[in-house]
Amino acid sequence: MMELSNKLELEPLQIKFWFQNRRTQIKNQDQHTENLSLRAENDKLRAECVWLSEAINNGCPNCGDHGFRLGETPNNEQYLRLENARLQEEVVQISRQYISNVIRAAMYELLQMAQMDEPLWLPNIDGVKNVFNEEEFKRKFPRGNEPKPNGIKTTASRESALVTINHINLVEIFMDTNHWARFFSSIVLTARTMDVLDGSTKMIYAEFQVPSPQIPNRDCYFVRSCNKIVDGLWVIVDVSLDHTPITRCWKRPSGCVIKQISNDISKVTWVEHIEADDTLVHAFYKTFVNSSLAFGAKRWISILDRQCERLASAEATNLPQRNITHTLSTDKERRKSVLKLGERMIIDYISGVSGATTHQWTTFSTRSGYNTNDVQVMTRQSINDPGRPRGLVLCASTSIWLPVLPKLVFDFLRNENTRGKWDILSNGGTIQQVTHIANGTEIGNSISILRVNSPNPAQNDMLIFQESITDPTGSFIVYAPIDIRAIDVVLCGGNPDGVPLLPSGFAIFPDGPSSSTNYEISDYSGSFLTIAFQILVHNVPTANISPQSIASVNKLMFCTIDKIKNALFLNF
């Protein structure tokens, strides 16, 4: 202080007062800034309260005259803090009341759509009353007449099935977001809980997909509520709160009615009512995308039925030995380990095709989104993931159309006896099935372990782990090379999470609704075939992708496509 006093030629007391005054000025400025911020927050909360109050038909009994008007708020900082806290609590209360009203109306609408027949649902070609009558819906539910953003298409579908699962267990799957996402992993790419409103209601974000780089994913925010109507009857309802511009997909009241038939059998009626932007969908895929085969009730109910059969297979204490080796037919824990590895392989394959940001894929090459022959190329750094080899992983995928019914394509690609006709990586060797595990009643739902009898003795320590799954709306054949020592751990019931896999394979979907029941090649019925390869291109995760790697994977892709076309005796 004395040194500063001498330099400035001022008394020490003067310097002390200067610093005190300066601190006071800074404090006042900070208080003024904070006061302005509190005022802005106060105004924002008041506006939100007004909006939410107007959204409730009968108003909010808690919103009264508080003795002052907007613009007359006292300057007292403590008062502003108390008022903001009160307003925040009021916003929460009004929001919950608003959401409660929306869910109540959505529950009524869902039950009506699940239970009614004509004229809301008209017969299809098979006489099943599942064709949506939008005009009748608008008459019955006038809110359906509200304006929609440009480019938005409305689709509604309904489907019912008896599934092999206890109704309480099924409700628990729906209300556990992570479990629900894994259970429906072939359509739900990502899902997370945004907020838990109460024990039976939560806000959810989900990203839905068809495994094809040519079909855009659909991301959606919605509220999910679970309600028990009577013993043995539950309703799960999903509904978006408004047309937020954040996403381009919204759920009108959708969901399912779950009815107990017996302890292990449930009847599920599924209604999927969606508004979505389809402007980025190539015209070639629009019929499929806007049908129930892509995002509608038929696909949801088909996946549910298949997954329930898979669970039943995992829990079975004994299976026919014609479908499985004796050890795995009698040892449930060993079979569960194999099925768990297959589940992870399918999920990893789908994430590579769809490329969600939450799966940490980075798109390397751009694609137009309008070219049906685009190849999507992405990379991912695998660093500390025990489920993948360390290094830089490349995934390339594309979709093609084949004038062959999906069942024929599926049977051809999953058959080890015809694998050499398309699998370039088998290097001309013969394929031998070592183990086969059926995981459902549908022929083709199975896991296989294959051995490549290669001319190169160094490759004979490598097996192929393959799972094939099929239902009326789509099929998958996914496979990955696996070391003999690693598969031995799984077959002995060990934890499969540490087994490194890079899955490749195929997704097969019908090109649209068809009344055909035979398997003849037709100009009016065919398949969308998605092909995806995952390859370790560098042992260093941070390495740059080389043009040679891109060229090699493109060559592999188109060579495989040509072999598949030629093997199916098609004239392109």
Side-chain angles (χ1 to χ4, degrees):
M1 178 75 74
M2 293 301 299
E3 183 180 354
L4 187 60
S5 173
N6 293 332
K7 285 185 178 180
L8 298 177
E9 298 181 352
L10 294 173
E11 294 294 328
L13 193 59
Q14 288 178 298
I15 294 175
K16 177 181 178 181
F17 285 150
W18 186 91
F19 277 108
Q20 287 178 341
N21 289 337
R22 181 58 181 163
R23 281 196 298 269
T24 301
Q25 288 176 348
I26 294 173
K27 182 178 180 181
N28 289 338
Q29 288 174 355
D30 290 343
Q31 288 179 337
H32 178 69
T33 301
E34 188 173 5
N35 207 299
L36 291 175
S37 175
L38 287 167
R39 284 176 179 275
E41 185 179 358
N42 190 282
D43 292 346
K44 179 181 177 182
L45 287 167
R46 286 185 177 282
E48 191 171 353
C49 270
V50 170
W51 181 86
L52 286 168
S53 297
E54 292 176 350
I56 301 174
N57 293 332
N58 297 324
C60 175
N62 298 324
C63 299
D65 185 6
H66 301 290
F68 56 87
R69 294 181 176 82
L70 195 62
E72 299 178 358
T73 306
N75 292 327
N76 186 278
E77 178 181 335
Q78 183 179 2
Y79 179 86
L80 285 174
R81 291 184 183 278
L82 291 173
E83 178 65 7
N84 281 359
R86 186 192 65 77
L87 285 171
Q88 286 175 345
E89 183 178 352
E90 190 171 311
V91 166
V92 170
Q93 292 175 350
I94 298 175
S95 296
R96 292 185 183 277
Q97 184 178 352
Y98 169 67
I99 292 172
S100 177
N101 289 351
V102 170
I103 289 173
R104 192 179 301 113
M107 186 76 62
Y108 170 78
E109 186 173 314
L110 174 62
L111 285 170
Q112 291 291 303
M113 294 186 73
Q115 296 169 354
M116 290 183 66
D117 285 329
E118 296 187 63
L120 183 60
W121 298 99
L122 303 175
N124 60 17
I125 56 175
D126 297 322
V128 181
K129 296 176 181 179
N130 282 343
V131 178
F132 183 58
N133 184 342
E134 188 169 1
E135 293 303 316
E136 176 62 22
F137 172 81
K138 290 179 180 179
R139 284 192 291 270
K140 186 167 183 61
F141 302 100
R143 289 177 303 158
N145 293 319
E146 62 189 20
K148 294 181 293 189
N150 292 332
I152 302 302
K153 181 163 182 74
T154 301
T155 59
S157 55
R158 182 177 68 174
E159 203 74 26
S160 296
L162 294 177
V163 294
T164 54
I165 191 171
N166 177 272
H167 66 292
I168 299 297
N169 293 343
L170 185 54
V171 169
E172 290 174 349
I173 288 173
F174 275 100
M175 298 312 294
D176 182 331
T177 305
N178 292 331
H179 195 175
W180 172 71
R182 288 189 70 87
F183 195 81
F184 291 96
S185 60
S186 56
I187 188 171
V188 180
L189 187 59
T190 58
R192 66 178 183 271
T193 300
M194 306 294 293
D195 188 21
V196 177
L197 305 176
D198 56 47
S200 63
T201 305
K202 57 180 64 176
M203 183 77 75
I204 294 177
Y205 166 80
E207 189 174 2
F208 306 111
Q209 49 78 42
V210 175
S212 168
Q214 276 76 33
I215 299 178
N217 299 337
R218 290 180 172 180
D219 54 335
C220 185
Y221 291 91
F222 56 94
V223 174
R224 169 167 292 174
S225 183
C226 170
N227 290 270
K228 180 181 179 181
I229 307 301
V230 295
D231 285 344
L233 185 64
W234 294 77
V235 177
I236 308 292
V237 63
D238 296 341
V239 61
S240 296
L241 296 180
D242 54 24
H243 282 96
T244 169
I246 299 175
T247 64
R248 299 291 285 174
C249 176
W250 304 270
K251 278 182 175 280
R252 301 300 298 265
S254 303
C256 57
V257 179
I258 303 170
K259 181 179 180 181
Q260 179 185 16
I261 301 300
S262 67
N263 187 51
D264 295 323
I265 302 292
S266 302
K267 180 181 180 181
V268 179
T269 300
W270 200 299
V271 174
E272 198 70 15
H273 193 180
I274 299 295
E275 293 178 353
D277 181 3
D278 71 346
T279 55
L280 293 180
V281 179
H282 190 281
F284 197 59
Y285 296 94
K286 282 197 175 184
T287 300
F288 169 66
V289 168
N290 293 325
S291 74
S292 64
L293 299 173
F295 296 101
K298 187 172 182 64
R299 187 170 177 214
W300 283 101
I301 209 80
S302 296
I303 296 171
L304 171 63
D305 189 24
R306 169 168 51 79
Q307 287 292 80
C308 288
E309 286 194 355
R310 184 187 180 94
L311 282 179
S313 173
E315 295 296 331
T317 56
N318 202 355
L319 292 176
Q321 294 185 25
R322 61 181 174 83
N323 289 329
I324 198 169
T325 62
H326 177 70
T327 304
L328 290 176
S329 69
T330 57
D331 192 321
K332 184 168 67 173
E333 293 307 314
R334 294 188 181 192
R335 194 164 64 250
K336 278 186 175 181
S337 183
V338 174
L339 290 172
K340 186 177 179 182
L341 182 62
E343 179 187 51
R344 175 164 67 85
M345 184 172 67
I346 296 289
I347 292 174
D348 286 352
Y349 168 82
I350 292 173
S351 77
V353 173
S354 300
T357 54
T358 53
H359 288 86
Q360 301 176 333
W361 285 104
T362 301
T363 302
F364 180 77
S365 64
T366 59
R367 68 187 198 278
S368 67
Y370 290 90
N371 186 346
T372 59
N373 295 319
D374 283 340
V375 175
Q376 174 179 266
V377 178
M378 300 183 297
T379 59
R380 171 165 53 186
Q381 295 179 357
S382 176
I383 301 176
N384 295 316
D385 189 346
R388 297 182 186 87
R390 178 182 174 84
L392 182 67
V393 177
L394 179 149
C395 180
S397 60
T398 191
S399 294
I400 62 172
W401 179 78
L402 297 172
V404 180
L405 287 176
K407 185 181 185 305
L408 290 178
V409 180
F410 176 70
D411 288 343
F412 168 74
L413 292 173
R414 73 181 178 89
N415 189 341
E416 70 272 11
N417 295 322
T418 57
R419 189 184 189 99
K421 295 184 178 181
W422 59 264
D423 189 358
I424 301 170
L425 302 181
S426 63
N427 295 321
T430 59
I431 308 296
Q432 175 189 358
Q433 182 173 272
V434 178
T435 301
H436 174 80
I437 307 172
N439 55 20
T441 57
E442 184 73 29
I443 296 176
N445 281 331
S446 63
I447 293 177
S448 300
I449 299 174
L450 309 174
R451 183 190 303 276
V452 180
N453 298 314
S454 173
N456 184 356
Q459 295 181 344
N460 287 333
D461 285 340
M462 188 63 67
L463 301 174
I464 296 174
F465 186 78
Q466 175 175 294
E467 175 155 6
S468 58
I469 58 177
T470 187
D471 63 53
T473 62
S475 306
F476 294 86
I477 300 104
V478 181
Y479 59 90
I482 188 168
D483 185 81
I484 287 179
R485 291 172 291 277
I487 199 61
D488 281 345
V489 171
V490 177
L491 292 175
C492 290
N495 184 1
D497 292 342
V499 176
L501 293 178
L502 284 180
S504 301
F506 308 94
I508 308 161
F509 293 92
D511 59 4
S514 173
S515 60
S516 176
T517 57
N518 57 37
Y519 301 126
E520 295 178 0
I521 295 176
S522 168
D523 291 337
Y524 304 99
S525 59
S527 308
F528 293 125
L529 175 65
T530 296
I531 307 168
F533 295 112
Q534 291 192 47
I535 301 170
L536 185 69
V537 294
H538 206 289
N539 291 326
V540 178
T542 56
N544 294 323
I545 190 72
S546 68
Q548 291 80 8
S549 296
I550 300 293
S552 296
V553 78
N554 276 331
K555 182 179 179 181
L556 174 63
M557 176 72 71
F558 291 114
C559 187
T560 303
I561 290 173
D562 288 341
K563 283 181 171 291
I564 291 172
K565 289 178 177 180
N566 292 333
L568 290 173
F569 305 101
L570 302 180
N571 183 17
F572 286 86

